[in-house]
Amino acid sequence: MKQFISVYDVPNINALVEKALAYKANPFADRQLGADKRIGLLFLNPSLRTRLSTQVAARNLGMEAIVFNVDKEGWALEFEEGAIMSGNTVEHIKDAAPILGQYFDILCIRTFPSLKNREEDYSEMFIHQFIKYAGVPVVSLESATLHPLQSLTDIITIQEHYRTQHTKRKPKIVLTWAPHVKPLPQCVANSFSQWINAWGEADFVITHPQDYELAEQFTKGAAITHDQDAALKDADYVYVKNWSTYNDYGKIYENDPAWMLTEEKLKASNNAKVMHCLPVRRNVELSDEILDSAHSLVTQQAGNRVWAAQTVLAELLQSGK
Amino acid sequence: MKQFISVYDVPNINALVEKALAYKANPFADRQLGADKRIGLLFLNPSLRTRLSTQVAARNLGMEAIVFNVDKEGWALEFEEGAIMSGNTVEHIKDAAPILGQYFDILCIRTFPSLKNREEDYSEMFIHQFIKYAGVPVVSLESATLHPLQSLTDIITIQEHYRTQHTKRKPKIVLTWAPHVKPLPQCVANSFSQWINAWGEADFVITHPQDYELAEQFTKGAAITHDQDAALKDADYVYVKNWSTYNDYGKIYENDPAWMLTEEKLKASNNAKVMHCLPVRRNVELSDEILDSAHSLVTQQAGNRVWAAQTVLAELLQSGK
Amino acid sequence: MKQFISVYDVPNINALVEKALAYKANPFADRQLGADKRIGLLFLNPSLRTRLSTQVAARNLGMEAIVFNVDKEGWALEFEEGAIMSGNTVEHIKDAAPILGQYFDILCIRTFPSLKNREEDYSEMFIHQFIKYAGVPVVSLESATLHPLQSLTDIITIQEHYRTQHTKRKPKIVLTWAPHVKPLPQCVANSFSQWINAWGEADFVITHPQDYELAEQFTKGAAITHDQDAALKDADYVYVKNWSTYNDYGKIYENDPAWMLTEEKLKASNNAKVMHCLPVRRNVELSDEILDSAHSLVTQQAGNRVWAAQTVLAELLQSGK
């Protein structure tokens, strides 16, 4: 593995899952792997779980992790080729990235979409420019359209739980849209769709209100319906997430509270486990009654972020040898 | 010791003091105690001494310390049970705390009071909610009403100095209110009162202008007077601190500059040493003439923050074994 | 070496350069030198290269490095002696510095000039007050008028490159003013001038438009001209930097885009290498055509920040033994 930007960087999802669960059982198994190696974590947007879990993961491998909040501790970066920098951007990624590549062995970066210009966001210019100039392996800590460490975590969590069920039947996994108070990126939903489709070991259904269609490049392979009740029927895992519109980009068209998942709705499921990437707006996206019940996997899921990150960093370190 | 929120978590104050002074003499005596352990320091409010001294203390014990400025690097947390999170708060403490508890072996948290709603502040909801959901030992880095690491430091500093005086007489300790430019929490004064009373090895007097009475739950056992001169008579230690009103909550009623401690006033004392938790507004709370004189213990006191924190962390690590 | 504030702290520039290049060849040669030592990095102003390179340098020596963004994580510091602190400053440097000196073995600090009051800026009050009260060795991470770690880096980079040219002729080094969009400090230009003059092994020319004269205390020894073309003739190294006016302090008098360095202008040089401390405003200060060409040393230069910092820290650690 040379970088970790999307599922296309992963030769074998199940091998990553096994490695992650092995690290969970024995966090310090590879404590020497990252000796004298340094990882830089660059945040252009805020983060709690992603930052802390990646720092913990790096330390478990013996790496030094240094965090840099570009937005708060640094200055605005320019990403456009040929820009005449007489405005607010202070440094071009062409200059910053290769220097960071000299200081660090692996670079991780988080950037969010503008939600204003779809073509620009979906070109993933920021992270691609960064990769182009960094000269060392790059890990996405969430980019404009994807969140691969989250999606790897999600599959780890599903597999970890599903093997306790002792069944050979494929699980039914449902991704359901949920209401929110402001327009959010499509990253987590895109990425989850991309990974579950690539994994191929589930019956995968996506449900959302009209007008919330995701980009087909990610959803292709899933069944898509506007009927949430039908989607939830016999579900084993329900992944709850809000996203703003993709077609008429970055909007909230309808925000019907009836789309919030409830215990009542879950009755049609196969006693489904409920997942969410967090942070979650309680009683807006998901009710207390579900989050505080045995249905919820969210804490276990967030805890697994460490093992996903540790696995990816270990793969990059091992590939580099 | 299972947590460190107030003096009630401490079985034996003097034992902590001895341990702290032993660490001061030999900082790396327990350098292996925290191996493979991680401590998370969460700040909902800014901090200089508390943050840095706790980081240093953790490293002296071989622990990895990770700082997270929730207010600046993260987002607003919700603490109310049952909240419908359609406002500004992005994540509930019920979701954030257990995840942090998975990432860290010990969690430290700083939260300030609103100074608007006394009942809410004095319920210490923030830190209690955090403890309830964290699942690992929690250390207060100052909460809405108390600052126990500061108070432990204060008793360490008093004992460290007083034993050089070779007297068996109990020291006279005075807590005196001082003027300030804005309304401050009562935390340091509450906590100092609680600890000196619980310690029980001093004659303890609190002096402040009318209307600045502190909560009796903390001051009970101390003599209280509005006559600063009478309080200072024969004092061995004078602890200077501003606080806003407790009864008519969070106000500045009177801010008479005459309450600022001077060399002249100290003449009635027993050549008293002067203490302050810092930061101090020079020439408002305390004059240059005192801070720059041999009366001042403030630098030594702030330095002792390391040994207080190291002692508390060591106790928690040892209890957990 | 007892501190690192300007070239006057350095007994032998060439010895530092050799040490830095040795570290570049073998980063972990002195990995035990800083064991159990701690370095505090205080930023009153933002930083990317300086912060990260110093953190990396400290870790290469086995030191723990702790970053503190005073402006964002702390509060406003007071630097005036005798100030009545009833305004916005929360803590006096007289109180903060000695405490930091108890927590850390070496303190590094970055402060910027106001660009409003020349006498105040050029008195370097902030860093001198800090040194006065810290009680441990202090390293400038850029102060109001100088940036010595940058200048040491610059001489390392020039020597590293020039020895590949196998000539005994002194190199011709040109410092040229460049346009910018806002008034910048004179630090980098002052410091570069001071170091090149003190080093004494180059023909040194400074060129800038009328009214941009630098302080003579730094430039004395260099040839100074308003004729950029004449300056560039036969140059081996061209150091590009904007600065605001020194005489009528902190202003932009003229901002002629014709002063931007181009390939065309470089034709008169001795195939000169181009340097810049970064961040650089592309196509304002320096054109893409130069930055992306073989003329540019800027990435190598920024990478060398690590070895400059590591050398200075090692010298301070070794002096302290």
Side-chain angles (χ1 to χ4, degrees):
Chain A
M1 219 161 72
K2 296 298 180 195
Q3 63 178 20
F4 187 76
I5 305 305
S6 82
V7 78
Y8 298 118
D9 297 310
V10 178
N12 184 332
I13 295 174
N14 283 335
L16 286 194
V17 171
E18 293 312 318
K19 187 164 185 159
L21 292 173
Y23 279 138
K24 186 167 183 171
N26 188 1
F28 299 107
D30 283 336
R31 70 188 320 153
Q32 291 302 321
L33 187 60
D36 294 340
K37 301 287 184 183
R38 252 178 298 257
I39 183 170
L41 309 183
L42 299 184
F43 290 93
L44 280 77
N45 298 95
S47 164
L48 180 114
R49 267 158 294 277
T50 298
R51 188 197 121 173
L52 295 176
S53 63
T54 310
Q55 281 183 282
V56 169
R59 293 301 303 164
N60 285 351
L61 296 167
M63 299 183 86
E64 176 81 2
I66 294 180
V67 171
F68 192 76
N69 294 304
V70 182
D71 54 337
K72 295 181 191 72
E73 301 175 285
W75 38 67
L77 294 176
E78 178 63 54
F79 288 84
E80 287 284 356
E81 290 280 354
I84 297 167
M85 292 172 59
S86 56
N88 293 321
T89 57
V90 171
E91 181 155 22
H92 202 287
I93 194 70
K94 289 172 84 163
D95 298 311
I99 291 156
L100 295 168
Q102 288 184 86
Y103 295 169
F104 295 103
D105 301 284
I106 296 175
L107 286 167
C108 304
I109 186 164
R110 163 168 287 200
T111 66
F112 280 176
S114 67
L115 290 184
K116 284 169 190 159
N117 182 327
R118 187 175 79 178
E119 256 138 291
E120 196 175 284
D121 288 346
Y122 274 69
S123 76
E124 289 281 12
M125 179 178 66
F126 280 31
I127 200 159
H128 286 140
Q129 286 280 79
F130 193 71
I131 291 167
K132 182 173 173 187
Y133 295 111
V136 296
V138 170
V139 174
S140 166
L141 302 175
E142 189 169 352
S143 64
T145 66
L146 293 171
H147 196 351
L149 279 173
Q150 181 63 53
S151 307
L152 173 56
T153 301
D154 298 336
I155 295 186
I156 291 165
T157 307
I158 289 170
Q159 289 209 41
E160 184 183 31
H161 176 264
Y162 202 59
R163 60 185 59 173
T164 66
Q165 306 301 300
H166 308 292
T167 169
K168 297 205 164 174
R169 180 177 57 79
K170 276 187 175 184
K172 178 174 178 184
I173 299 175
V174 177
L175 169 63
T176 180
W177 185 91
H180 203 279
V181 297
K182 59 176 199 171
L184 294 192
Q186 295 97 33
C187 306
V188 170
N190 285 342
S191 192
F192 186 75
S193 301
Q194 186 193 50
W195 281 70
I196 297 294
N197 281 323
W199 181 44
E201 301 186 14
D203 291 322
F204 183 34
V205 180
I206 302 172
T207 184
H208 55 71
Q210 214 179 344
D211 302 320
Y212 284 94
E213 281 69 28
L214 293 164
E216 201 186 334
Q217 57 173 310
F218 304 120
T219 60
K220 202 173 184 174
I224 301 174
T225 173
H226 296 159
D227 183 341
Q228 192 185 37
D229 289 334
L232 293 174
K233 189 161 185 318
D234 300 326
D236 296 292
Y237 300 93
V238 182
Y239 202 99
V240 178
K241 187 74 189 79
N242 170 270
W243 59 87
S244 61
T245 55
Y246 168 74
N247 286 317
D248 181 20
Y249 190 58
K251 302 282 193 307
I252 299 182
Y253 256 67
E254 184 207 297
N255 208 22
D256 187 353
W259 273 83
M260 186 173 81
L261 196 65
T262 58
E263 285 280 354
E264 185 59 33
K265 288 185 190 175
L266 275 185
K267 284 185 182 159
S269 78
N270 183 27
N271 192 26
K273 292 294 178 186
V274 175
M275 302 174 71
H276 189 286
C277 61
L278 303 182
V280 61
R281 297 274 186 150
R282 278 180 174 251
N283 303 313
V284 175
E285 286 178 88
L286 257 175
S287 61
D288 280 343
E289 66 172 7
I290 291 185
L291 280 165
D292 298 337
S293 77
H295 285 295
S296 172
L297 286 183
V298 302
T299 302
Q300 177 182 332
Q301 186 183 355
N304 283 339
R305 292 293 305 270
V306 172
W307 320 113
Q310 187 166 339
T311 299
V312 167
L313 296 181
E315 287 288 313
L316 292 174
L317 288 170
Q318 285 159 338
S319 301
K321 288 202 169 170
Chain B
M1 219 160 72
K2 297 298 181 195
Q3 63 178 18
F4 187 77
I5 304 305
S6 82
V7 78
Y8 298 118
D9 297 311
V10 178
N12 183 333
I13 294 174
N14 283 335
L16 287 194
V17 170
E18 293 312 317
K19 188 164 185 158
L21 292 173
Y23 278 139
K24 186 167 183 171
N26 189 0
F28 299 107
D30 283 336
R31 71 188 319 152
Q32 290 303 320
L33 187 60
D36 294 341
K37 301 287 184 183
R38 253 178 297 259
I39 184 170
L41 309 183
L42 299 184
F43 290 93
L44 280 76
N45 298 93
S47 164
L48 180 115
R49 267 158 294 278
T50 297
R51 189 198 121 172
L52 295 176
S53 63
T54 309
Q55 281 184 282
V56 170
R59 293 301 303 163
N60 285 351
L61 296 168
M63 298 183 86
E64 177 80 3
I66 295 179
V67 171
F68 192 75
N69 294 304
V70 182
D71 54 337
K72 295 181 191 71
E73 301 176 285
W75 37 66
L77 293 176
E78 177 63 55
F79 288 84
E80 287 284 355
E81 290 280 353
I84 297 168
M85 292 173 58
S86 55
N88 292 322
T89 57
V90 171
E91 181 155 22
H92 203 288
I93 194 69
K94 289 172 83 163
D95 299 311
I99 291 156
L100 295 168
Q102 288 184 86
Y103 294 169
F104 295 103
D105 301 284
I106 295 176
L107 286 168
C108 304
I109 185 163
R110 163 168 287 201
T111 66
F112 280 176
S114 67
L115 290 185
K116 284 169 190 162
N117 182 327
R118 187 175 80 179
E119 256 138 289
E120 196 176 283
D121 287 347
Y122 274 70
S123 76
E124 289 281 12
M125 179 178 67
F126 279 32
I127 201 159
H128 286 139
Q129 286 280 79
F130 193 70
I131 291 167
K132 182 173 173 187
Y133 295 111
V136 297
V138 170
V139 174
S140 166
L141 302 175
E142 189 168 352
S143 64
T145 67
L146 294 170
H147 196 351
L149 279 173
Q150 181 63 54
S151 307
L152 173 55
T153 300
D154 299 337
I155 295 187
I156 291 165
T157 306
I158 289 170
Q159 289 209 40
E160 184 183 31
H161 176 264
Y162 202 59
R163 60 185 58 175
T164 66
Q165 306 301 300
H166 308 292
T167 169
K168 296 205 164 174
R169 179 177 57 80
K170 276 187 176 184
K172 178 174 177 184
I173 299 174
V174 177
L175 170 62
T176 180
W177 185 91
H180 203 281
V181 297
K182 60 175 199 171
L184 294 191
Q186 296 96 33
C187 306
V188 170
N190 285 342
S191 193
F192 185 75
S193 301
Q194 186 192 49
W195 280 71
I196 297 294
N197 281 323
W199 181 43
E201 301 186 12
D203 291 322
F204 183 35
V205 179
I206 301 172
T207 184
H208 54 70
Q210 214 179 344
D211 302 320
Y212 284 95
E213 281 69 27
L214 294 164
E216 202 187 332
Q217 57 173 309
F218 305 120
T219 60
K220 203 173 181 175
I224 300 174
T225 172
H226 296 159
D227 182 342
Q228 192 186 37
D229 289 334
L232 292 173
K233 189 160 186 319
D234 300 325
D236 295 293
Y237 300 94
V238 182
Y239 202 99
V240 178
K241 186 74 189 82
N242 171 270
W243 60 87
S244 61
T245 55
Y246 168 74
N247 285 317
D248 180 20
Y249 191 59
K251 303 283 193 307
I252 299 182
Y253 256 66
E254 184 208 297
N255 207 24
D256 187 353
W259 273 83
M260 187 173 81
L261 196 65
T262 58
E263 285 280 354
E264 185 59 33
K265 287 185 191 177
L266 275 186
K267 284 185 183 159
S269 78
N270 183 27
N271 192 25
K273 293 294 179 185
V274 175
M275 303 175 71
H276 189 286
C277 61
L278 304 181
V280 61
R281 297 275 186 150
R282 279 180 172 251
N283 303 312
V284 175
E285 286 178 87
L286 257 174
S287 61
D288 280 344
E289 65 172 7
I290 290 186
L291 280 166
D292 298 337
S293 76
H295 285 294
S296 173
L297 286 183
V298 301
T299 302
Q300 177 182 334
Q301 185 184 356
N304 284 338
R305 291 293 305 271
V306 172
W307 320 114
Q310 188 167 338
T311 298
V312 167
L313 296 181
E315 287 287 313
L316 292 174
L317 288 169
Q318 285 160 337
S319 302
K321 288 201 169 168
Chain C
M1 220 160 71
K2 298 297 182 196
Q3 63 178 19
F4 187 76
I5 305 305
S6 82
V7 79
Y8 297 118
D9 297 311
V10 177
N12 184 333
I13 294 173
N14 283 334
L16 286 194
V17 170
E18 292 313 317
K19 187 165 184 158
L21 292 173
Y23 279 139
K24 186 168 184 172
N26 188 1
F28 299 106
D30 283 335
R31 69 190 319 154
Q32 291 303 320
L33 187 60
D36 294 341
K37 301 286 184 183
R38 253 178 296 258
I39 183 169
L41 309 183
L42 299 184
F43 290 93
L44 280 76
N45 297 95
S47 164
L48 181 113
R49 267 158 294 278
T50 298
R51 188 197 121 173
L52 294 176
S53 63
T54 310
Q55 281 183 282
V56 169
R59 292 301 304 163
N60 285 351
L61 296 167
M63 299 183 86
E64 177 80 4
I66 294 179
V67 171
F68 192 76
N69 294 304
V70 183
D71 53 337
K72 294 180 192 72
E73 301 175 285
W75 38 66
L77 293 176
E78 177 63 55
F79 288 85
E80 287 284 355
E81 290 279 354
I84 297 168
M85 292 172 58
S86 56
N88 293 321
T89 57
V90 171
E91 181 155 22
H92 203 288
I93 194 70
K94 289 171 84 163
D95 299 310
I99 290 156
L100 295 168
Q102 289 184 86
Y103 294 168
F104 295 103
D105 300 285
I106 295 176
L107 286 168
C108 304
I109 186 163
R110 164 168 286 200
T111 66
F112 280 177
S114 67
L115 291 184
K116 285 170 190 160
N117 182 328
R118 187 175 80 179
E119 257 138 289
E120 196 176 283
D121 287 347
Y122 275 69
S123 76
E124 289 281 11
M125 179 179 65
F126 280 31
I127 200 159
H128 286 140
Q129 287 280 80
F130 193 70
I131 291 168
K132 182 172 173 187
Y133 295 110
V136 296
V138 170
V139 174
S140 166
L141 301 174
E142 189 168 351
S143 64
T145 67
L146 293 171
H147 195 351
L149 280 173
Q150 181 63 53
S151 307
L152 173 56
T153 301
D154 299 336
I155 294 187
I156 291 165
T157 306
I158 289 171
Q159 290 209 39
E160 184 184 31
H161 177 264
Y162 202 59
R163 60 185 59 173
T164 66
Q165 306 302 301
H166 307 292
T167 169
K168 295 203 164 174
R169 180 176 57 79
K170 275 187 177 185
K172 178 174 178 184
I173 299 174
V174 178
L175 169 63
T176 180
W177 185 90
H180 203 280
V181 297
K182 59 175 199 172
L184 293 191
Q186 296 97 32
C187 306
V188 170
N190 285 343
S191 192
F192 186 74
S193 301
Q194 185 192 49
W195 281 71
I196 297 295
N197 280 323
W199 181 43
E201 301 186 13
D203 291 322
F204 183 35
V205 180
I206 302 172
T207 183
H208 53 72
Q210 213 178 346
D211 302 320
Y212 284 94
E213 281 70 25
L214 294 164
E216 201 187 334
Q217 57 173 310
F218 304 120
T219 59
K220 203 173 183 175
I224 300 174
T225 172
H226 297 159
D227 183 341
Q228 191 186 36
D229 288 334
L232 292 174
K233 189 160 185 318
D234 300 326
D236 296 292
Y237 300 94
V238 182
Y239 202 98
V240 178
K241 187 74 189 80
N242 170 270
W243 61 86
S244 61
T245 55
Y246 168 74
N247 286 317
D248 181 20
Y249 191 59
K251 302 282 193 308
I252 299 182
Y253 255 67
E254 184 207 298
N255 207 23
D256 187 353
W259 273 84
M260 186 173 81
L261 196 65
T262 58
E263 285 280 355
E264 185 59 33
K265 289 185 191 177
L266 275 186
K267 283 185 183 160
S269 78
N270 183 27
N271 192 25
K273 292 294 177 184
V274 176
M275 303 174 71
H276 190 286
C277 61
L278 303 183
V280 60
R281 297 274 187 151
R282 279 180 173 251
N283 303 313
V284 175
E285 286 178 87
L286 256 175
S287 61
D288 280 344
E289 66 171 9
I290 291 185
L291 280 165
D292 297 338
S293 77
H295 285 295
S296 172
L297 286 183
V298 302
T299 302
Q300 177 182 333
Q301 185 184 356
N304 283 339
R305 292 293 304 271
V306 172
W307 320 114
Q310 188 167 337
T311 298
V312 167
L313 296 181
E315 286 288 314
L316 293 174
L317 288 169
Q318 284 159 338
S319 302
K321 288 200 169 170

